[in-house]
Structure formats: structure tokens, C-alpha cells
Amino acid sequence: MPKRSTAIKVPKTCGERTIVLANKMKIVDKELKIKKDDCFIYVPIHHKPSETILKALKRQVTNMQVSTSVFQKKPKRVSTYSELLEGKIPKRFQASLPHSADIVGDMAIIELSPELQEYKKTMGEAILKAYKNVRTVLAKAGAVSGTYRLRQFEIIAGEPKTVTIHKEHGCKFLIDIAKVYFSPRLSFERSRVASLVKEHETIVDMFTGVGPFAVQIAKKRENVEVYAIELNPDAFDFLKRNIRLNKVDGKIHPILGDARQVIDDKLTGIADRVIMNLPEKAIDFVDVACETLKPDGGVLHFYCFVNASNSLQAMEQRLAEAVEASGRRIRKKPLSKLVRATAPYEWQAVLDAGVV
Ligand SMILES: C[S@@+](CC[C@H](N)C(=O)[O-])C[C@H]1O[C@@H](n2cnc3c(N)ncnc32)[C@H](O)[C@@H]1O
């Protein structure tokens, strides 16, 4: 509904300067829309400005006037989910509210501390209201575990489903979060690795999951060949569907099986680049990663976890020893960096090692 309000009226040519100034002075009524006609701009303000403010304004915008006018109201802003929870969750728990949710397609995933368990439905509904593209809210119900690196989830609000399509850097990934591993937090890392790949490279993605590294590389480069290996039959099924979904058939060879076995059987000496995103176990596969590299060498993207008792330097040392035990060596000090925090005082890290 329109509302009459005090306004600052200025010629259009001074509009921008006036808006900046009035905003700085905190006198703009943000619930109303600024309006204009052929010659003037009208900025709604809370009340008639004081003499001091008026003087300050006139010093900078000489031809301004104070008038009244009728303004349209702005559509109501969607509140943040913590605003929506005000009064619904005891104040003492406000500090434990998750600061953000992981968004996977149209699903939001949150981590709930034990004291918030009884408020999970309220929280889920607040998230549905605050994030307009979210259809389902899930709470983590355990750690990532097992050979397939899966996590259990509890659906706390919205549509009861775990399947979605996640979009990332121009690629689409069909995912069943209950049956496969997927982390949206690796998005930047995947894009970083994809941008290092050169035309005509052969890549072995040893632990490909639903194929986020492989698909992004194939989408980015015209002439590449990616061997994408996965042990989990469900993830392998989604990998094949994602290859079709992204129209990169022909560039990616999906292979179901254990990376060690597959490389031993048919991928010896073929790769320019190897992706080893199985942080808890990658160290045990360095020998086969070296085996799949071309005889004159290539690059390993080696992922691991680092924490207080296992530093990045210690991992560099372990990787160097494992490469040497395979009859190769690291050309120069690897580029090593933290990729993301995974727990208090624990990070996933990557070591890019040139191996000859
Ligand atoms: C941490 S996930 C990474 C998936 C994917 N690269 C990504 O970034 O989303 C590791 C994947 O390796 C698979 N995996 C575990 N052991 C394997 C093995 N020996 N050979 C092939 N894949 C394996 C798991 O099923 C899981 O999908």
C-alpha cells in the first residue's frame, strides 16, 4: 500500500550524490521505494531533517528541497534464518546455531549440536523460508565413514528426498546424497585443478565419486582423456549419468572397480596427471598412482588430512618417501595448501607434486 512521507526532492542530475549522502546520514526510509519523474528524484526520509542535517545537505546539493510525496512500499525482505528463529529458540542456544548450511542442489545440509536436536523441525522450517531455492533440509547424522565415504542424514523439513541436481562451474551433477560422497565445499578446488589441465592430457581420477573433477575437466578442455575410477556401484551409476548429463561422453572413460586393481590391469604408464581425492587413504595408493603416470612423469594431486599431530610438512615428507619407494622422485618441493576445514583443528590439504 502506498504511503505519504517526507522526502528530499532534487534534480535528477544530483540524484546519485543525494542518495549516497542521505544513506550516510541514515535518514532514508528503507521501507519505501525511491521514485522519480521527468526532472526530479524523490528520496523518502523518516522525518523532517534537523537544521544541522539540512545545512550539511544543502552544502553539497545546493538545489535540494524538502517536500512530501507518496511512495510505494518495498516488498518485504526475506529474513535470515536466525532472524526467523528469534523467540522460537531459547536465547542461551542462539550461539550454537549453525552459521551456514551446505547447499547441494535444492537441499540444505546443517550440523546440529545435541542441545538443538529438539528444535530441529523449527530450524528446518526457518531455513526453508529463508532460502527460497531450498526444498529439503537435512541434518548430518554422523561422520563421513566407510570405504565409500558415506554419511547418514536425517530429513528435518521439506520434501522427503535425498536426490538432487547440483550445479557447479557450468556443470550439473545428479546426486543421491545418501548413497554417494559429495561435498560442495570442494568446488573451488575442483575448478583450480581443472584450470591446471592442458589440452591433450590424459588424466586418471582414481577416486572419482559421481565425477565432479572428471566432468569439470572434460567440460573445460576440448582434447582430454579422463579415466574415472570408482568402487561404489551407486556412485558409478551416477557418474555415468553425469557424463551424459554434461555431454562429455567420449572424453571420460568410467571404470567400476578398485583403483589399484584397475591401474594394475589396464592403466599402467598412461597418465600426465593423477587425482587422488581419498584423503584418509591416498598415501596407501601412491605406488599405483606412480605406476599409472607416463614413464617420463607427470603431476599427482595428492589429498590428505592435516592436524596437530600430522602437519603439512610431515605429509610432504611421507609423500616423498612413498614416491621414492615406488622408484620415482618428486622433482621439486610440492605446492601444498589447506583446502578446507573438516573438523576443529583438522583440515583437508592438497599437495601438487611433479613426479619424474
Ligand atoms: C572422498 S570421495 C571423493 C569423490 C570425488 N572425487 C569428489 O571429489 O567428490 C572418495 C571416493 O572414492 C571411492 N573409493 C574408495 N576406495 C576406492 C578404491 N579403492 N578405488 C576406487 N574408488 C574408491 C569412494 O567410494 C568415494 O566415492
Side-chain angles (χ1 to χ4, degrees), residues 75-293:
K76 217 172 164 30
R77 181 176 68 90
V78 177
S79 316
T80 65
Y81 102 98
S82 44
E83 277 168 8
L84 288 165
L85 286 173
E86 264 165 37
K88 295 188 178 161
I89 287 190
K91 274 220 160 48
R92 63 185 187 284
F93 294 151
Q94 293 281 339
S96 330
L97 284 177
H99 294 301
S100 62
D102 279 345
I103 304 294
V104 178
D106 61 359
M107 305 190 303
I109 301 172
I110 56 168
E111 195 152 357
L112 279 182
S113 50
E115 66 268 27
L116 287 173
Q117 283 298 330
E118 63 177 295
Y119 303 101
K120 61 190 173 197
K121 198 163 182 298
T122 315
M123 290 176 63
E125 268 151 20
I127 290 173
L128 282 180
K129 261 198 194 145
Y131 295 73
K132 66 178 185 344
N133 296 326
V134 169
R135 299 259 167 282
T136 304
V137 184
L138 301 113
K140 293 179 185 174
V144 171
S145 65
T147 308
Y148 298 161
R149 312 310 297 147
L150 303 181
R151 190 197 288 279
Q152 299 220 308
F153 295 96
E154 184 189 355
I155 296 168
I156 59 171
E159 292 171 22
K161 66 180 181 90
T162 51
V163 178
T164 190
I165 291 186
H166 181 77
K167 292 187 186 153
E168 180 178 291
H169 301 293
C171 304
K172 289 181 194 155
F173 297 104
L174 183 66
I175 294 160
D176 184 339
I177 201 72
K179 292 184 177 168
V180 304
Y181 174 91
F182 185 81
S183 171
R185 296 188 196 183
L186 290 173
S187 155
F188 178 79
E189 175 59 14
R190 294 191 267 264
S191 149
R192 183 189 74 87
V193 170
S195 65
L196 294 173
V197 173
K198 298 181 196 71
E199 291 293 345
H200 303 289
E201 277 193 11
T202 299
I203 297 106
V204 173
D205 185 5
M206 289 175 67
F207 313 105
T208 200
V210 299
F213 278 96
V215 168
Q216 218 177 114
I217 290 169
K219 200 87 179 154
K220 211 169 188 130
R221 299 286 176 251
E222 272 310 305
N223 295 296
V224 284
E225 223 169 336
V226 188
Y227 292 89
I229 311 170
E230 175 54 46
L231 189 61
N232 172 0
D234 287 320
F236 181 71
D237 189 41
F238 282 101
L239 164 68
K240 287 191 292 181
R241 293 160 80 170
N242 288 328
I243 292 172
R244 285 198 299 275
L245 193 62
N246 290 280
K247 303 188 174 65
V248 285
D249 329 50
K251 293 190 204 174
I252 301 182
H253 310 289
I255 306 171
L256 175 64
D258 166 30
R260 172 173 297 283
Q261 194 73 51
V262 171
I263 290 172
D264 271 347
D265 287 352
K266 50 186 172 194
L267 299 180
T268 300
I270 56 133
D272 299 288
R273 190 178 296 277
V274 182
I275 301 167
M276 306 178 71
N277 186 19
L278 183 60
E280 53 293 311
K281 287 247 181 72
I283 194 73
D284 300 335
F285 287 84
V286 173
D287 57 336
V288 266
C290 287
E291 186 186 326
T292 194
L293 282 177

Side-chain angles (χ1 to χ4, degrees), residues 45 61 220 332:
I45 55 176
V61 194
K220 211 169 188 130
K332 58 175 189 185

